Amino acid sequence: MVRPEDTSRVGGPRHYLMCRPTHFAVEYAINPWMDPAVGVDRARAIRQWEGLRELYRSLGHRVSEIEPIEGLPDMVFAANGALVVEGRVYGARFAGAERTPEGPAYLDWFRQAGYTEIKEPKHVNEGEGDFITLDDVILAGTGFRTEAAAHQEAERLLDRPVVTLQLIDPRFYHLDTALFALSGDQVAYYPGAFSEGSRRVLRALYPDALLATEEDAAVLGLNAVCDGENVVIAAEAEALAGRLRALGYTVHPVELDELRKAGGGAKCCTLELRDAPLD
């Protein structure tokens, strides 16, 4: 296992885009986590989200915010809104009608923020929900939300190789619920979320990867955010947190159980803006 001090992602603040859960609710069920009969405590969801935002700021990261839109209760899950690499924006085209308006809303934010290389997708994809960017490759999930054709579309735009991974467990409907980047060339993942063929690919690419248990995956412990040194992770994923500490990472447990009622965690709330380097 590569230790954090050996990776290229150590040092330097990240730039994240987030969306306050002002209109958060569970009004429909588009993944196994969602049950409209359970109900949510929106005020608690907002407090938890604010805690996540302030944690990022305390770690030296920059946080931008997109204005939430009434009628879009899942807009808080900003990671699904786009994929950004070196300032190039690959927009989202959502699989479900309930979230379709989020795609144009996020692209409007990027235009207003001054981004110029923006691609409106032809194929269904849900942004960083199904795209994990590492130094030399982008891992891309398919099976539940994102079409495999979107992987090729993203590859052409971003000029980086994209590796397709097949998800097979509906609990892990996005790649970012089953895998996260520990560094620019290392990952953690739950093998049971993937087809046998994709497990072979992951073993070949990352023979020293950190393998999570089903127990940690089942509390969205892999829906985590790592800057190469710090890991922001679901508070309930205690075993995974302990293993990360043993590897030298600084672990920051966060309580996001209210947002988990819609199938989201720290990463779902966090879209990394990999802006183009300054000249």
PDB file of all heavy atoms in Angstrom, residues 231-261:
ATOM      1  N   VAL A 231      -8.526  12.115   5.004  1.00  0.00           N
ATOM      2  CA  VAL A 231      -9.661  11.366   4.475  1.00  0.00           C
ATOM      3  C   VAL A 231     -10.906  11.766   5.255  1.00  0.00           C
ATOM      4  O   VAL A 231     -10.951  11.648   6.481  1.00  0.00           O
ATOM      5  CB  VAL A 231      -9.450   9.840   4.592  1.00  0.00           C
ATOM      6  CG1 VAL A 231     -10.657   9.105   4.001  1.00  0.00           C
ATOM      7  CG2 VAL A 231      -8.178   9.414   3.881  1.00  0.00           C
ATOM      8  N   VAL A 232     -11.904  12.252   4.535  1.00  0.00           N
ATOM      9  CA  VAL A 232     -13.203  12.600   5.118  1.00  0.00           C
ATOM     10  C   VAL A 232     -14.130  11.428   4.845  1.00  0.00           C
ATOM     11  O   VAL A 232     -14.387  11.096   3.681  1.00  0.00           O
ATOM     12  CB  VAL A 232     -13.740  13.905   4.504  1.00  0.00           C
ATOM     13  CG1 VAL A 232     -15.109  14.254   5.094  1.00  0.00           C
ATOM     14  CG2 VAL A 232     -12.753  15.051   4.740  1.00  0.00           C
ATOM     15  N   ILE A 233     -14.637  10.819   5.899  1.00  0.00           N
ATOM     16  CA  ILE A 233     -15.297   9.525   5.765  1.00  0.00           C
ATOM     17  C   ILE A 233     -16.500   9.433   6.696  1.00  0.00           C
ATOM     18  O   ILE A 233     -16.543  10.110   7.736  1.00  0.00           O
ATOM     19  CB  ILE A 233     -14.272   8.397   6.075  1.00  0.00           C
ATOM     20  CG1 ILE A 233     -14.803   7.014   5.714  1.00  0.00           C
ATOM     21  CG2 ILE A 233     -13.820   8.463   7.518  1.00  0.00           C
ATOM     22  CD1 ILE A 233     -13.748   5.922   5.816  1.00  0.00           C
ATOM     23  N   ALA A 234     -17.461   8.599   6.339  1.00  0.00           N
ATOM     24  CA  ALA A 234     -18.637   8.378   7.177  1.00  0.00           C
ATOM     25  C   ALA A 234     -18.224   7.925   8.567  1.00  0.00           C
ATOM     26  O   ALA A 234     -17.398   7.018   8.727  1.00  0.00           O
ATOM     27  CB  ALA A 234     -19.552   7.335   6.538  1.00  0.00           C
ATOM     28  N   ALA A 235     -18.825   8.530   9.580  1.00  0.00           N
ATOM     29  CA  ALA A 235     -18.462   8.228  10.965  1.00  0.00           C
ATOM     30  C   ALA A 235     -18.670   6.757  11.309  1.00  0.00           C
ATOM     31  O   ALA A 235     -17.957   6.200  12.154  1.00  0.00           O
ATOM     32  CB  ALA A 235     -19.270   9.111  11.910  1.00  0.00           C
ATOM     33  N   GLU A 236     -19.633   6.111  10.666  1.00  0.00           N
ATOM     34  CA  GLU A 236     -19.961   4.727  10.982  1.00  0.00           C
ATOM     35  C   GLU A 236     -18.945   3.721  10.430  1.00  0.00           C
ATOM     36  O   GLU A 236     -18.929   2.560  10.829  1.00  0.00           O
ATOM     37  CB  GLU A 236     -21.349   4.378  10.449  1.00  0.00           C
ATOM     38  CG  GLU A 236     -22.478   5.188  11.072  1.00  0.00           C
ATOM     39  CD  GLU A 236     -22.704   6.526  10.390  1.00  0.00           C
ATOM     40  OE1 GLU A 236     -21.887   6.913   9.514  1.00  0.00           O
ATOM     41  OE2 GLU A 236     -23.697   7.198  10.736  1.00  0.00           O
ATOM     42  N   ALA A 237     -18.097   4.158   9.497  1.00  0.00           N
ATOM     43  CA  ALA A 237     -17.122   3.248   8.869  1.00  0.00           C
ATOM     44  C   ALA A 237     -15.872   3.150   9.738  1.00  0.00           C
ATOM     45  O   ALA A 237     -14.758   3.494   9.333  1.00  0.00           O
ATOM     46  CB  ALA A 237     -16.782   3.728   7.464  1.00  0.00           C
ATOM     47  N   GLU A 238     -16.037   2.632  10.942  1.00  0.00           N
ATOM     48  CA  GLU A 238     -14.966   2.667  11.933  1.00  0.00           C
ATOM     49  C   GLU A 238     -13.794   1.753  11.578  1.00  0.00           C
ATOM     50  O   GLU A 238     -12.634   2.124  11.776  1.00  0.00           O
ATOM     51  CB  GLU A 238     -15.529   2.309  13.298  1.00  0.00           C
ATOM     52  CG  GLU A 238     -16.543   3.324  13.822  1.00  0.00           C
ATOM     53  CD  GLU A 238     -17.108   2.944  15.170  1.00  0.00           C
ATOM     54  OE1 GLU A 238     -16.766   1.844  15.674  1.00  0.00           O
ATOM     55  OE2 GLU A 238     -17.905   3.729  15.712  1.00  0.00           O
ATOM     56  N   ALA A 239     -14.080   0.577  11.062  1.00  0.00           N
ATOM     57  CA  ALA A 239     -12.990  -0.341  10.728  1.00  0.00           C
ATOM     58  C   ALA A 239     -12.138   0.215   9.592  1.00  0.00           C
ATOM     59  O   ALA A 239     -10.901   0.180   9.650  1.00  0.00           O
ATOM     60  CB  ALA A 239     -13.546  -1.712  10.361  1.00  0.00           C
ATOM     61  N   LEU A 240     -12.790   0.745   8.571  1.00  0.00           N
ATOM     62  CA  LEU A 240     -12.057   1.328   7.447  1.00  0.00           C
ATOM     63  C   LEU A 240     -11.246   2.528   7.915  1.00  0.00           C
ATOM     64  O   LEU A 240     -10.090   2.712   7.509  1.00  0.00           O
ATOM     65  CB  LEU A 240     -13.023   1.724   6.340  1.00  0.00           C
ATOM     66  CG  LEU A 240     -12.416   2.317   5.068  1.00  0.00           C
ATOM     67  CD1 LEU A 240     -11.395   1.376   4.451  1.00  0.00           C
ATOM     68  CD2 LEU A 240     -13.517   2.652   4.058  1.00  0.00           C
ATOM     69  N   ALA A 241     -11.827   3.341   8.779  1.00  0.00           N
ATOM     70  CA  ALA A 241     -11.100   4.496   9.316  1.00  0.00           C
ATOM     71  C   ALA A 241      -9.845   4.050  10.060  1.00  0.00           C
ATOM     72  O   ALA A 241      -8.767   4.659   9.925  1.00  0.00           O
ATOM     73  CB  ALA A 241     -12.006   5.302  10.238  1.00  0.00           C
ATOM     74  N   GLY A 242      -9.961   2.982  10.836  1.00  0.00           N
ATOM     75  CA  GLY A 242      -8.809   2.485  11.570  1.00  0.00           C
ATOM     76  C   GLY A 242      -7.703   2.008  10.650  1.00  0.00           C
ATOM     77  O   GLY A 242      -6.511   2.251  10.913  1.00  0.00           O
ATOM     78  N   ARG A 243      -8.064   1.354   9.565  1.00  0.00           N
ATOM     79  CA  ARG A 243      -7.056   0.876   8.622  1.00  0.00           C
ATOM     80  C   ARG A 243      -6.378   2.046   7.911  1.00  0.00           C
ATOM     81  O   ARG A 243      -5.180   2.010   7.631  1.00  0.00           O
ATOM     82  CB  ARG A 243      -7.706  -0.079   7.615  1.00  0.00           C
ATOM     83  CG  ARG A 243      -8.225  -1.360   8.269  1.00  0.00           C
ATOM     84  CD  ARG A 243      -9.013  -2.188   7.291  1.00  0.00           C
ATOM     85  NE  ARG A 243      -8.170  -2.719   6.228  1.00  0.00           N
ATOM     86  CZ  ARG A 243      -8.657  -3.253   5.111  1.00  0.00           C
ATOM     87  NH1 ARG A 243      -9.970  -3.312   4.913  1.00  0.00           N
ATOM     88  NH2 ARG A 243      -7.834  -3.725   4.196  1.00  0.00           N
ATOM     89  N   LEU A 244      -7.143   3.090   7.621  1.00  0.00           N
ATOM     90  CA  LEU A 244      -6.563   4.274   6.989  1.00  0.00           C
ATOM     91  C   LEU A 244      -5.583   4.964   7.931  1.00  0.00           C
ATOM     92  O   LEU A 244      -4.503   5.397   7.529  1.00  0.00           O
ATOM     93  CB  LEU A 244      -7.675   5.242   6.571  1.00  0.00           C
ATOM     94  CG  LEU A 244      -8.518   4.791   5.370  1.00  0.00           C
ATOM     95  CD1 LEU A 244      -9.826   5.564   5.310  1.00  0.00           C
ATOM     96  CD2 LEU A 244      -7.727   4.959   4.067  1.00  0.00           C
ATOM     97  N   ARG A 245      -5.945   5.055   9.209  1.00  0.00           N
ATOM     98  CA  ARG A 245      -5.019   5.650  10.185  1.00  0.00           C
ATOM     99  C   ARG A 245      -3.728   4.844  10.271  1.00  0.00           C
ATOM    100  O   ARG A 245      -2.626   5.413  10.368  1.00  0.00           O
ATOM    101  CB  ARG A 245      -5.690   5.722  11.554  1.00  0.00           C
ATOM    102  CG  ARG A 245      -6.817   6.740  11.648  1.00  0.00           C
ATOM    103  CD  ARG A 245      -7.289   6.903  13.081  1.00  0.00           C
ATOM    104  NE  ARG A 245      -8.429   7.789  13.167  1.00  0.00           N
ATOM    105  CZ  ARG A 245      -9.703   7.375  13.243  1.00  0.00           C
ATOM    106  NH1 ARG A 245      -9.965   6.064  13.266  1.00  0.00           N
ATOM    107  NH2 ARG A 245     -10.681   8.238  13.307  1.00  0.00           N
ATOM    108  N   ALA A 246      -3.867   3.529  10.216  1.00  0.00           N
ATOM    109  CA  ALA A 246      -2.679   2.673  10.297  1.00  0.00           C
ATOM    110  C   ALA A 246      -1.749   2.904   9.108  1.00  0.00           C
ATOM    111  O   ALA A 246      -0.534   2.676   9.213  1.00  0.00           O
ATOM    112  CB  ALA A 246      -3.094   1.205  10.366  1.00  0.00           C
ATOM    113  N   LEU A 247      -2.301   3.354   7.993  1.00  0.00           N
ATOM    114  CA  LEU A 247      -1.492   3.637   6.808  1.00  0.00           C
ATOM    115  C   LEU A 247      -0.906   5.043   6.838  1.00  0.00           C
ATOM    116  O   LEU A 247      -0.162   5.422   5.935  1.00  0.00           O
ATOM    117  CB  LEU A 247      -2.335   3.454   5.543  1.00  0.00           C
ATOM    118  CG  LEU A 247      -2.709   2.022   5.204  1.00  0.00           C
ATOM    119  CD1 LEU A 247      -3.769   1.991   4.110  1.00  0.00           C
ATOM    120  CD2 LEU A 247      -1.479   1.230   4.775  1.00  0.00           C
ATOM    121  N   GLY A 248      -1.255   5.819   7.847  1.00  0.00           N
ATOM    122  CA  GLY A 248      -0.680   7.153   7.981  1.00  0.00           C
ATOM    123  C   GLY A 248      -1.570   8.293   7.575  1.00  0.00           C
ATOM    124  O   GLY A 248      -1.152   9.452   7.611  1.00  0.00           O
ATOM    125  N   TYR A 249      -2.810   8.004   7.167  1.00  0.00           N
ATOM    126  CA  TYR A 249      -3.737   9.066   6.801  1.00  0.00           C
ATOM    127  C   TYR A 249      -4.330   9.711   8.046  1.00  0.00           C
ATOM    128  O   TYR A 249      -4.497   9.061   9.080  1.00  0.00           O
ATOM    129  CB  TYR A 249      -4.865   8.526   5.920  1.00  0.00           C
ATOM    130  CG  TYR A 249      -4.404   8.080   4.554  1.00  0.00           C
ATOM    131  CD1 TYR A 249      -4.006   6.763   4.327  1.00  0.00           C
ATOM    132  CD2 TYR A 249      -4.356   8.970   3.492  1.00  0.00           C
ATOM    133  CE1 TYR A 249      -3.560   6.351   3.080  1.00  0.00           C
ATOM    134  CE2 TYR A 249      -3.920   8.573   2.242  1.00  0.00           C
ATOM    135  CZ  TYR A 249      -3.525   7.266   2.045  1.00  0.00           C
ATOM    136  OH  TYR A 249      -3.083   6.860   0.815  1.00  0.00           O
ATOM    137  N   THR A 250      -4.673  10.982   7.941  1.00  0.00           N
ATOM    138  CA  THR A 250      -5.424  11.671   8.980  1.00  0.00           C
ATOM    139  C   THR A 250      -6.897  11.535   8.628  1.00  0.00           C
ATOM    140  O   THR A 250      -7.325  11.994   7.559  1.00  0.00           O
ATOM    141  CB  THR A 250      -5.031  13.152   9.069  1.00  0.00           C
ATOM    142  OG1 THR A 250      -3.640  13.253   9.347  1.00  0.00           O
ATOM    143  CG2 THR A 250      -5.821  13.850  10.173  1.00  0.00           C
ATOM    144  N   VAL A 251      -7.654  10.898   9.498  1.00  0.00           N
ATOM    145  CA  VAL A 251      -9.053  10.557   9.199  1.00  0.00           C
ATOM    146  C   VAL A 251      -9.988  11.527   9.916  1.00  0.00           C
ATOM    147  O   VAL A 251      -9.809  11.815  11.110  1.00  0.00           O
ATOM    148  CB  VAL A 251      -9.357   9.109   9.615  1.00  0.00           C
ATOM    149  CG1 VAL A 251     -10.818   8.768   9.361  1.00  0.00           C
ATOM    150  CG2 VAL A 251      -8.441   8.149   8.846  1.00  0.00           C
ATOM    151  N   HIS A 252     -10.985  12.004   9.176  1.00  0.00           N
ATOM    152  CA  HIS A 252     -11.965  12.940   9.715  1.00  0.00           C
ATOM    153  C   HIS A 252     -13.366  12.323   9.557  1.00  0.00           C
ATOM    154  O   HIS A 252     -13.987  12.449   8.496  1.00  0.00           O
ATOM    155  CB  HIS A 252     -11.899  14.272   8.967  1.00  0.00           C
ATOM    156  CG  HIS A 252     -10.542  14.906   8.998  1.00  0.00           C
ATOM    157  ND1 HIS A 252     -10.138  15.771   9.992  1.00  0.00           N
ATOM    158  CD2 HIS A 252      -9.480  14.784   8.158  1.00  0.00           C
ATOM    159  CE1 HIS A 252      -8.896  16.160   9.760  1.00  0.00           C
ATOM    160  NE2 HIS A 252      -8.477  15.576   8.659  1.00  0.00           N
ATOM    161  N   PRO A 253     -13.872  11.658  10.580  1.00  0.00           N
ATOM    162  CA  PRO A 253     -15.225  11.082  10.494  1.00  0.00           C
ATOM    163  C   PRO A 253     -16.272  12.200  10.489  1.00  0.00           C
ATOM    164  O   PRO A 253     -16.160  13.187  11.224  1.00  0.00           O
ATOM    165  CB  PRO A 253     -15.331  10.246  11.774  1.00  0.00           C
ATOM    166  CG  PRO A 253     -13.921  10.087  12.272  1.00  0.00           C
ATOM    167  CD  PRO A 253     -13.210  11.325  11.853  1.00  0.00           C
ATOM    168  N   VAL A 254     -17.279  12.043   9.647  1.00  0.00           N
ATOM    169  CA  VAL A 254     -18.368  13.019   9.571  1.00  0.00           C
ATOM    170  C   VAL A 254     -19.709  12.295   9.657  1.00  0.00           C
ATOM    171  O   VAL A 254     -19.860  11.183   9.141  1.00  0.00           O
ATOM    172  CB  VAL A 254     -18.303  13.857   8.281  1.00  0.00           C
ATOM    173  CG1 VAL A 254     -17.100  14.787   8.291  1.00  0.00           C
ATOM    174  CG2 VAL A 254     -18.258  12.957   7.040  1.00  0.00           C
ATOM    175  N   GLU A 255     -20.650  12.935  10.307  1.00  0.00           N
ATOM    176  CA  GLU A 255     -22.004  12.392  10.399  1.00  0.00           C
ATOM    177  C   GLU A 255     -22.852  12.983   9.281  1.00  0.00           C
ATOM    178  O   GLU A 255     -23.088  14.192   9.239  1.00  0.00           O
ATOM    179  CB  GLU A 255     -22.608  12.716  11.760  1.00  0.00           C
ATOM    180  CG  GLU A 255     -21.917  12.004  12.912  1.00  0.00           C
ATOM    181  CD  GLU A 255     -22.618  12.218  14.233  1.00  0.00           C
ATOM    182  OE1 GLU A 255     -23.631  12.966  14.251  1.00  0.00           O
ATOM    183  OE2 GLU A 255     -22.161  11.655  15.242  1.00  0.00           O
ATOM    184  N   LEU A 256     -23.269  12.118   8.381  1.00  0.00           N
ATOM    185  CA  LEU A 256     -24.108  12.532   7.254  1.00  0.00           C
ATOM    186  C   LEU A 256     -25.263  11.551   7.068  1.00  0.00           C
ATOM    187  O   LEU A 256     -25.739  11.343   5.955  1.00  0.00           O
ATOM    188  CB  LEU A 256     -23.273  12.612   5.966  1.00  0.00           C
ATOM    189  CG  LEU A 256     -22.235  13.739   5.904  1.00  0.00           C
ATOM    190  CD1 LEU A 256     -21.337  13.566   4.700  1.00  0.00           C
ATOM    191  CD2 LEU A 256     -22.904  15.110   5.859  1.00  0.00           C
ATOM    192  N   ASP A 257     -25.702  10.950   8.174  1.00  0.00           N
ATOM    193  CA  ASP A 257     -26.720   9.913   8.071  1.00  0.00           C
ATOM    194  C   ASP A 257     -28.049  10.431   7.546  1.00  0.00           C
ATOM    195  O   ASP A 257     -28.813   9.669   6.934  1.00  0.00           O
ATOM    196  CB  ASP A 257     -26.922   9.216   9.418  1.00  0.00           C
ATOM    197  CG  ASP A 257     -27.230  10.193  10.538  1.00  0.00           C
ATOM    198  OD1 ASP A 257     -26.327  10.950  10.931  1.00  0.00           O
ATOM    199  OD2 ASP A 257     -28.373  10.201  11.025  1.00  0.00           O
ATOM    200  N   GLU A 258     -28.341  11.711   7.727  1.00  0.00           N
ATOM    201  CA  GLU A 258     -29.600  12.238   7.199  1.00  0.00           C
ATOM    202  C   GLU A 258     -29.571  12.267   5.677  1.00  0.00           C
ATOM    203  O   GLU A 258     -30.535  11.881   5.016  1.00  0.00           O
ATOM    204  CB  GLU A 258     -29.863  13.639   7.762  1.00  0.00           C
ATOM    205  CG  GLU A 258     -31.331  14.033   7.788  1.00  0.00           C
ATOM    206  CD  GLU A 258     -32.168  13.152   8.703  1.00  0.00           C
ATOM    207  OE1 GLU A 258     -31.673  12.722   9.766  1.00  0.00           O
ATOM    208  OE2 GLU A 258     -33.325  12.871   8.323  1.00  0.00           O
ATOM    209  N   LEU A 259     -28.441  12.658   5.119  1.00  0.00           N
ATOM    210  CA  LEU A 259     -28.298  12.660   3.665  1.00  0.00           C
ATOM    211  C   LEU A 259     -28.175  11.245   3.117  1.00  0.00           C
ATOM    212  O   LEU A 259     -28.535  10.989   1.960  1.00  0.00           O
ATOM    213  CB  LEU A 259     -27.086  13.494   3.265  1.00  0.00           C
ATOM    214  CG  LEU A 259     -27.237  15.002   3.528  1.00  0.00           C
ATOM    215  CD1 LEU A 259     -25.908  15.712   3.381  1.00  0.00           C
ATOM    216  CD2 LEU A 259     -28.264  15.605   2.589  1.00  0.00           C
ATOM    217  N   ARG A 260     -27.698  10.320   3.952  1.00  0.00           N
ATOM    218  CA  ARG A 260     -27.596   8.928   3.504  1.00  0.00           C
ATOM    219  C   ARG A 260     -28.972   8.326   3.227  1.00  0.00           C
ATOM    220  O   ARG A 260     -29.083   7.326   2.512  1.00  0.00           O
ATOM    221  CB  ARG A 260     -26.832   8.100   4.539  1.00  0.00           C
ATOM    222  CG  ARG A 260     -26.426   6.729   4.014  1.00  0.00           C
ATOM    223  CD  ARG A 260     -25.343   6.077   4.853  1.00  0.00           C
ATOM    224  NE  ARG A 260     -25.762   5.850   6.219  1.00  0.00           N
ATOM    225  CZ  ARG A 260     -25.122   6.329   7.288  1.00  0.00           C
ATOM    226  NH1 ARG A 260     -24.046   7.079   7.146  1.00  0.00           N
ATOM    227  NH2 ARG A 260     -25.559   6.072   8.506  1.00  0.00           N
ATOM    228  N   LYS A 261     -30.028   8.910   3.767  1.00  0.00           N
ATOM    229  CA  LYS A 261     -31.375   8.428   3.465  1.00  0.00           C
ATOM    230  C   LYS A 261     -31.702   8.541   1.974  1.00  0.00           C
ATOM    231  O   LYS A 261     -32.615   7.871   1.486  1.00  0.00           O
ATOM    232  CB  LYS A 261     -32.408   9.206   4.280  1.00  0.00           C
ATOM    233  CG  LYS A 261     -32.337   8.934   5.780  1.00  0.00           C
ATOM    234  CD  LYS A 261     -33.347   9.786   6.531  1.00  0.00           C
ATOM    235  CE  LYS A 261     -33.288   9.522   8.031  1.00  0.00           C
ATOM    236  NZ  LYS A 261     -34.247  10.388   8.777  1.00  0.00           N
TER     237      LYS A 261
END
